[in-house]
Amino acid sequence: MLVIHGGPGLSHHYLYPLTALSASRQLIFYDQLDAGSSEWPNDPKNWNVPRYLAEIDALRSHLGLDSLIMFGNSWGGTIAAAYAARRPPGLTKLILSGPLIDTRRWALRACLASGDTSSEAFAAATDLFYRRHLCRRDPWPDFVAATFEPRLFNKRCYEGMWGPTEFISTGVLRDYNGSAELASIDVPTLLTCGEFDEATPDTTRRDLDVMRFAAAIPGAEVVVFPNASHMTFVEVPESYLSVVRGFVEAAPETAPAAAVAVAGERRAVGRGLLNGASPCTWSTGGGFYAYPFTAYWNATSGDYGWEARIVAPSQAVVGTSSGRRRRRRRGEETRGREAVTGVGALRFGGAADVYDRPYAEVLDPAVEVGWAAWLVPPEVRPDPQRRGEWTSRAFVGTRVSTASHTFCGCQSMRGDAAAFRLTEHGRASGDIPPRPARVPWYANLTRREISAQIRATCAALARRTSCPEDNETAYAEWASGRDNGTYWRLPPWVEVYSSLPV
């Protein structure tokens, strides 16, 4: 494992806790040019990302590193990510710890672009910032303090490349943005950061920057460490090393699923979450259904479905153009249909022979079969405000076997390592084109064709709809009667699942 330190201009000493990983593999620490124990020519011509990438090539050639894992912290993450985006031969995994990817999204660059940086007040503010967002251990360990000693810390390089302090960038990197290159990374990637990390400067935001960067890397995994900041491996070494060991020692997957997790509750979520079956134990439908009923999720194909037995049809709630509710009469939508023979009505297997078989039979009217297709797929991420919880937002279209409508609307989920709640809101309804009498709308359609019809029906609405930020806003909008006048709105629909899909 090649370990790349931050800075620029720092030494590798603060990364000492990572030496515990050497029990299972060789670790290589080095000091970059103009840093630590390496030479300090202090030539500004050397202070650019391409030269530091060339330094990696020279190091690999000199040491014969044909195969390696790369670890980069902070500015070291800048180098590691840019290097990995070149898809170099022999790179097997990548770990980015609080990486600098986009200077515009780092700390408080715009807050103090000018002024006296030599005053005592400024020094005090800088010290406070460092102890809150750089390293929260008090006092700092000797190996961290040593990194900032004049003999190891090249301040001239740091200021020339970055600026006078962590939250002001006036140097070469002031306009750096490597986010466009992230999609080119093709190796398993782990991104880590602390809850109070300067790499995620505003912890009150709903979307952490590191999460945004991870979303751009195919198959990336993110772990956020509570009560830690930029030097997570110093502040919570046992948790950090456990996560890194698990990632490094895991067998590579042929098609890794994007995942995020909260340290200490390492149940991965993301695309990998929404694959499998999970039981619904309650919904807005109330006594209309028998619980639990099963939902089947397939994030790979971008759709899901459910099969629920109807026990009290008279209790069904349906929206109307005036926003009022009415009761569905028994048999109103299913009159004259025969029960389906055989099993596997949902056909959520993912294989072509499953998705491309038409529904030749009429489904049992006492069972609601539902089909759903995501037009905007769920973006699942940890909730920075509620430790151990995750959220997602999406836009979805649905149809059911017992009605002749397509429902389109915003969808949100909230859950933890054990269960989750799904809410659909802002839903519009459009009639499915009629078919001959006694012929259900799904007759002779395949699962793939149903999904295609749903997406075609909801596409225009998905493009122009602004989804509510949260469930509370959704309910408030519905209760106030807000509508764009082009479709009738249904009350928000909620489903509760007692376990994650398995």
Side-chain angles (χ1 to χ4, degrees):
M1 180 188 291
L2 179 64
V3 181
I4 309 174
H5 66 74
L10 292 179
S11 73
H12 70 276
H13 290 71
Y14 72 99
L15 296 163
Y16 172 78
L18 298 180
T19 59
L21 299 172
S22 63
S24 59
R25 67 191 63 253
Q26 184 184 45
L27 265 70
I28 300 170
F29 296 84
Y30 75 102
D31 287 338
Q32 300 155 20
L33 190 70
D34 281 320
S37 299
S38 291
E39 295 180 354
W40 294 13
N42 280 330
D43 185 350
K45 293 180 181 179
N46 293 325
W47 297 344
N48 58 80
V49 173
R51 203 217 65 81
Y52 285 95
L53 299 184
E55 192 172 66
I56 301 292
D57 288 331
L59 190 62
R60 289 189 64 180
S61 176
H62 180 72
L63 298 177
L65 302 179
D66 296 327
S67 176
L68 80 161
I69 296 170
M70 187 171 287
F71 178 103
N73 169 250
S74 194
W75 150 248
T78 309
I79 300 171
Y83 188 80
R86 293 166 37 178
R87 299 186 175 181
L91 180 63
T92 60
K93 290 187 178 183
L94 176 67
I95 303 169
L96 302 175
S97 171
L100 166 65
I101 302 297
D102 183 353
T103 300
R104 296 170 301 175
R105 307 204 63 84
W106 184 276
L108 308 173
R109 177 193 169 202
C111 292
L112 293 170
S114 63
D116 183 7
T117 60
S118 62
S119 68
E120 292 184 5
F122 183 85
T126 300
D127 182 70
L128 180 62
F129 180 88
Y130 285 5
R131 295 187 181 278
R132 287 183 177 178
H133 302 294
L134 185 66
C135 181
R136 296 172 73 88
R137 280 189 61 176
D138 189 15
W140 283 2
D142 290 343
F143 57 85
V144 173
T147 305
F148 293 90
E149 293 179 0
R151 64 184 180 87
L152 295 175
F153 175 33
N154 187 346
K155 190 174 181 180
R156 181 176 173 185
C157 174
Y158 177 82
E159 294 182 348
M161 292 197 67
W162 181 252
T165 187
E166 284 293 277
F167 48 84
I168 302 176
S169 182
T170 56
V172 174
L173 296 172
R174 64 184 178 276
D175 296 317
Y176 181 78
N177 185 359
S179 56
E181 302 174 357
L182 297 178
S184 298
I185 297 175
D186 63 351
V187 296
T189 302
L190 169 67
L191 289 93
T192 68
C193 67
E195 179 184 6
F196 303 103
D197 202 319
E198 59 181 338
T200 58
D202 183 355
T203 56
T204 64
R205 278 205 313 269
R206 296 179 183 275
D207 52 336
L208 299 177
D209 288 329
V210 171
M211 305 300 177
R212 182 181 292 107
F213 299 143
I217 302 175
E221 180 179 352
V222 181
V223 177
V224 181
F225 292 86
N227 300 316
S229 61
H230 199 46
M231 295 187 182
T232 46
F233 37 84
V234 176
E235 299 157 317
V236 286
E238 292 183 1
S239 297
Y240 193 87
L241 293 172
S242 175
V243 167
V244 172
R245 284 194 188 98
F247 174 76
V248 168
E249 295 172 4
E253 300 177 1
T254 55
V260 294
V262 176
E265 299 169 1
R266 193 156 172 71
R267 180 70 179 269
V269 300
R271 283 191 176 274
L273 168 73
L274 298 174
N275 277 301
S278 54
C280 179
T281 56
W282 183 87
S283 76
T284 307
F288 182 67
Y289 300 114
Y291 301 96
F293 63 80
T294 302
Y296 304 86
W297 311 85
N298 192 332
T300 304
S301 59
D303 49 28
Y304 66 95
W306 62 93
E307 195 169 37
R309 182 158 294 278
I310 301 170
V311 295
S314 63
Q315 300 302 310
V317 177
V318 181
T320 68
S321 57
S322 63
R324 297 179 180 177
R325 298 179 176 183
R326 65 179 175 87
R327 303 291 185 183
R328 179 189 293 159
R329 294 188 300 274
R330 181 184 299 272
E332 180 183 40
E333 297 284 355
T334 59
R335 189 181 298 114
R337 298 182 184 177
E338 300 175 358
V340 66
T341 57
V343 295
L346 282 172
R347 298 174 186 166
F348 276 82
D353 63 338
V354 173
Y355 272 73
D356 293 328
R357 287 205 306 267
Y359 291 93
E361 308 93 352
V362 177
L363 302 177
D364 185 350
V367 176
E368 179 184 282
V369 176
W371 298 266
W374 285 302
L375 285 82
V376 176
E379 185 178 356
V380 184
R381 60 184 62 193
D383 186 340
Q385 302 303 304
R386 301 183 183 183
R387 293 177 189 167
E389 295 190 13
W390 55 269
T391 64
S392 79
R393 297 175 63 192
F395 196 94
V396 67
T398 62
R399 287 182 179 181
V400 295
S401 59
T402 55
S404 55
H405 309 294
T406 303
F407 299 98
C408 313
C410 303
Q411 182 188 80
S412 63
M413 298 184 194
R414 174 176 292 280
D416 53 25
F420 68 101
R421 181 181 74 244
L422 175 152
T423 303
E424 291 178 8
H425 41 70
R427 298 186 300 156
S429 175
D431 290 338
I432 299 174
R435 304 188 70 169
R438 300 176 67 86
V439 176
W441 65 263
Y442 52 81
N444 298 317
L445 294 177
T446 67
R447 179 71 185 85
R448 194 182 307 277
E449 289 171 335
I450 292 173
S451 290
Q453 288 187 6
I454 291 173
R455 291 190 175 98
T457 301
C458 297
L461 190 62
R463 286 194 296 268
R464 71 171 186 265
T465 298
S466 177
C467 291
E469 286 290 330
D470 49 41
N471 290 338
E472 290 76 12
T473 303
Y475 276 97
E477 288 185 1
W478 174 74
S480 67
R482 286 181 56 186
D483 198 340
N484 63 12
T486 61
Y487 60 88
W488 46 273
R489 184 182 297 273
L490 294 171
W493 180 273
V494 179
E495 295 173 358
V496 176
Y497 292 86
S498 60
S499 72
L500 301 185
V502 294

